[in-house]
Amino acid sequence: MSDCIFCKIANKEIDSKIVYEDESAVAFRDLSPQAPEHILIIPKKHIGGVNELTGGDAALMGHIMAEALPKLAKDLNIAESGYRVVINSGEDGQQTVKHLHVHLIGGRKMTWPPG
Ligand code: 5GP
Ligand code: ZN
């Protein structure tokens, strides 16, 4: 999508600190980190959010959640200490960027409930 900031990051039209990339996903550091480690993992193809997912995205999301994310957590050395995985969805979920992204947040003790 031409006016999507995360599509531009995936296409390297906008600079970001990329920490992981493969054929279908890319992960980069959040511009405004909420913890010592705050990574956004996105599908390279534009998906607006969780509501736009279809069964055809199952393999892609399985790859992100079951392969890319645990590898990143391990590489960042937070797999054992723990971390939080967040997908904000829609207005009440405080989704601000309308390209599906998985927050991987760690390096400090989280609080609960989230605000
Ligand atoms: P959301 O609130 O939609 O779940 O999360 C969007 C996240 O994207 C926010 O944590 C915000 O800091 C981050 N973000 C917004 N624009 C940019 C950008 O241009 N580059 C990077 N690296 N992160 C961004
Ligand atoms: Zn996009």
Side-chain angles (χ1 to χ4, degrees):
M1 228 176 122
S2 59
D3 62 344
C4 171
I5 197 158
F6 284 2
C7 281
K8 286 182 178 159
I9 285 177
N11 293 331
K12 319 274 170 56
E13 292 164 39
I14 289 182
D15 263 358
S16 69
K17 291 182 183 161
I18 292 179
V19 293
Y20 173 88
E21 182 171 13
D22 60 38
E23 65 286 343
S24 61
V26 59
F28 50 94
R29 292 199 172 273
D30 196 294
L31 203 58
S32 175
Q34 301 303 309
E37 304 291 354
H38 188 166
I39 307 296
L40 302 173
I41 312 166
I42 65 169
K44 282 186 171 174
K45 80 161 186 173
H46 184 85
I47 301 172
V50 172
N51 283 345
E52 286 186 19
L53 285 171
T54 69
D57 298 314
L60 172 60
M61 291 311 293
H63 168 64
I64 286 175
M65 300 303 287
E67 293 180 305
L69 191 149
K71 178 181 169 15
L72 265 162
K74 215 173 158 192
D75 290 351
L76 294 167
N77 213 23
I78 55 173
E80 296 307 318
S81 52
Y83 51 88
R84 185 164 287 167
V85 177
V86 175
I87 303 178
N88 294 326
S89 181
E91 198 181 335
D92 281 0
Q94 294 272 29
Q95 180 184 3
T96 58
V97 178
K98 305 294 189 278
H99 179 131
L100 182 65
H101 49 282
V102 179
H103 294 257
L104 168 59
I105 308 167
R108 68 166 169 83
K109 192 140 188 118
M110 302 295 149
T111 59
W112 191 263

